[in-house]
Amino acid sequence: FRDPRTGEPALDLPKIFGIHLLLSGLLCFGFGAFHVTGLFGPGIWVSDAYGVTGKVQPVAPAWGADGFNPFNPGGIAAH
């Protein structure tokens, strides 16, 4: 990046921060949309309500209000 006033190399921190947010957002979306849902990955660990038994399985996203239920694993893939 160059400073428009002097033409010297300079760090444009707001632009760098924006690029960082864009890339991290794409990474998080890709992880949720592909890895957690089981589309291109194994899914996530899903256990019973007591945490005794469980297995790795794909999870369908829960886009509605039920996605905020802590016992609904679909909220992880949706949010």
Side-chain angles (χ1 to χ4, degrees), residues 45-55 71:
W45 180 266
V46 178
S47 63
D48 63 345
Y50 301 104
V52 178
T53 61
K55 62 182 177 178
F71 298 106

Side-chain angles (χ1 to χ4, degrees), residues 3-67:
D3 186 0
R5 293 173 290 148
T6 62
E8 295 181 7
L11 292 177
D12 187 2
L13 295 180
K15 186 183 287 187
I16 292 172
F17 184 64
I19 292 169
H20 169 78
L21 285 180
L22 173 73
L23 294 177
S24 63
L26 289 174
L27 180 69
C28 288
F29 174 77
F31 178 76
F34 300 113
H35 181 78
V36 173
T37 60
L39 191 61
F40 289 116
I44 60 172
W45 180 266
V46 178
S47 63
D48 63 345
Y50 301 104
V52 178
T53 61
K55 62 182 177 178
V56 174
Q57 66 183 18
V59 175
W63 297 108
D66 58 338

